[in-house]
Amino acid sequence: MFLSQLKTGGVICRQGEAARLVPGYNTTYDLAKAAIAAGTTVADLIEKQGAGEAVELLAFAADGKLDCPVRHPDAAHMYLTGTGLTHTGSASARDSMHADTAGMSDSMKMFRMGIEGGKPKPGEIGVQPEWFYKGNGFNAVAPGEDLVSPSFALDGGEEPEMAGYYIIGEDGTAHRLGFSIANEFSDHVTEKINYLFLAHSKLRPASFGPELRVGALPDHVEGTSRIMRAGKTVWEKPFLSGEANMSHTIANLEYHHFKYALFCQPGDLHVHMYGTATLSVADGFVTQEGDVFEIESPQFGLPLRNRLAKAAAETVKVKML
């Protein structure tokens, strides 16, 4: 089962080739909250609502009518966060950024910690991962819309990832809705200067969807990340995800995010990204304004496409009260 959200209001449920509106709900967020309140699953609630109007999902996508799969009505209550160094192929690219002549980089040390302790036995707590803050709902960009790199950025590059969606119930419990493709757009040149600039490099927009796969993340995920320029593919590479290709379990990553009371406030929406092992910057590729990022995985429905744009320079003004 796949869910998508219309910008003008309306939730689309696709099963196989059939896509229909879900009667009675304008947003995926309200649908999920209703399922939590009823003590049921989203799938069961949708079945109870009955078959809605049939729609042409591909046409909606082509016309730019699809939003991120889930949004919070108040952008300040939508957290965008993520973890890095979680995939078994991710350490080499990061290590090449942060290695020094003194020996193993901090990135490689962190990666090895995950390899050794990121998949704990049932009932045990594993090692905590690297964690980063991406912003709030203001930084959540719909499929097809531009990923805007700020004027002060040194780079704007893609990161193909899986994103998990979580809504916090009234009792503070995190409820996982499902997963989608994400482009965790970042400034890798800034990050390369010094790994302590990682926090700065992540404060960029990100895009999600177009479809959300309800349920657990498949153990093995295959996809392709590509960059198109003037209608031609100029860089392309496959990527892998899922726990079979990760140094942490999803449960361990969830624990180390939701162990903080801050992230367990009723009604909040969390979109948590789980890292990647595939970056064009690791191949020496330099993006340009106008490039189109495309991330696809048949397991997650429609591909995610966004164009790279650059913001005009602005002056920061601070006024004394």
Side-chain angles (χ1 to χ4, degrees):
M1 175 181 288
F2 296 89
L3 300 178
S4 49
Q5 172 77 56
L6 286 168
K7 292 177 179 178
T8 55
V11 181
I12 300 170
C13 175
R14 181 175 68 82
Q15 299 186 72
E17 298 298 320
R20 294 181 176 275
L21 290 172
V22 177
Y25 294 97
N26 281 326
T27 69
T28 315
Y29 176 79
D30 286 341
L31 174 67
K33 284 194 68 177
I36 294 171
T40 188
T41 66
V42 166
D44 286 345
L45 182 57
I46 290 174
E47 183 178 357
K48 182 180 178 181
Q49 293 300 107
E53 177 188 350
V55 297
E56 294 293 334
L57 187 61
L58 288 176
F60 282 150
D63 292 341
K65 294 182 178 180
L66 298 181
D67 201 353
C68 299
V70 193
R71 280 193 188 271
H72 196 286
D74 180 353
H77 287 275
M78 180 177 179
Y79 288 85
L80 307 183
T81 55
T83 56
L85 298 170
T86 54
H87 286 65
T88 52
S90 62
S92 58
R94 184 76 72 83
D95 192 53
S96 67
M97 294 186 195
H98 302 158
D100 57 36
T101 55
M104 187 185 299
S105 69
D106 286 340
S107 294
M108 186 59 77
K109 292 176 184 177
M110 179 70 78
F111 174 72
R112 289 197 174 183
M113 288 171 63
I115 289 290
E116 295 170 0
K119 293 185 174 181
K121 297 177 181 178
E124 296 182 358
I125 296 172
V127 66
Q128 63 185 1
E130 176 194 58
W131 182 95
F132 61 84
Y133 176 65
K134 188 75 181 170
N136 60 23
F138 173 79
N139 272 357
V141 173
E145 294 185 355
D146 288 351
L147 286 167
V148 181
S149 186
S151 61
F152 52 79
L154 302 179
D155 170 53
E158 86 299 333
E159 294 201 15
E161 304 193 14
M162 295 292 106
Y165 295 78
Y166 304 84
I167 294 175
I168 310 303
E170 291 302 314
D171 62 353
T173 300
H175 297 260
R176 186 200 312 124
L177 179 56
F179 297 86
S180 83
I181 295 170
N183 187 341
E184 198 269 289
F185 182 68
S186 297
D187 183 341
H188 303 103
V189 173
T190 291
E191 178 189 350
K192 189 174 182 179
I193 294 171
N194 188 304
Y195 74 91
L196 295 177
F197 282 160
L198 176 71
H200 286 280
S201 75
K202 294 296 185 183
L203 290 175
R204 304 290 188 270
S207 189
F208 308 94
E211 295 186 271
L212 179 154
R213 176 172 170 154
V214 176
L217 183 69
D219 192 52
H220 179 77
V221 175
E222 296 184 14
T224 302
S225 178
R226 63 177 59 91
I227 300 174
M228 293 171 286
R229 182 175 296 164
K232 297 182 179 180
T233 299
V234 290
W235 181 88
E236 181 178 270
K237 206 166 192 176
F239 69 89
L240 299 174
S241 192
E243 286 188 6
N245 304 294
M246 296 173 68
S247 52
H248 289 261
T249 63
I250 295 298
N252 190 54
L253 299 177
E254 290 173 337
Y255 168 80
H256 286 294
H257 181 72
F258 292 110
K259 68 184 181 183
Y260 296 102
L262 167 67
F263 297 146
C264 297
Q265 299 305 301
D268 282 356
L269 168 65
H270 292 255
V271 185
H272 196 62
M273 290 158 275
Y274 287 103
T276 187
T278 304
L279 304 170
S280 64
V281 70
D283 291 341
F285 187 85
V286 179
T287 59
Q288 297 179 8
E289 186 171 13
D291 286 352
V292 174
F293 303 112
E294 181 179 89
I295 302 171
E296 65 173 347
S297 170
Q299 295 159 280
F300 288 86
L302 298 178
L304 174 63
R305 299 186 184 97
N306 300 91
R307 176 181 172 272
L308 171 60
K310 292 187 179 181
E314 294 184 10
T315 301
V316 176
K317 296 180 180 180
V318 179
K319 295 182 179 180
M320 179 69 75
L321 292 176

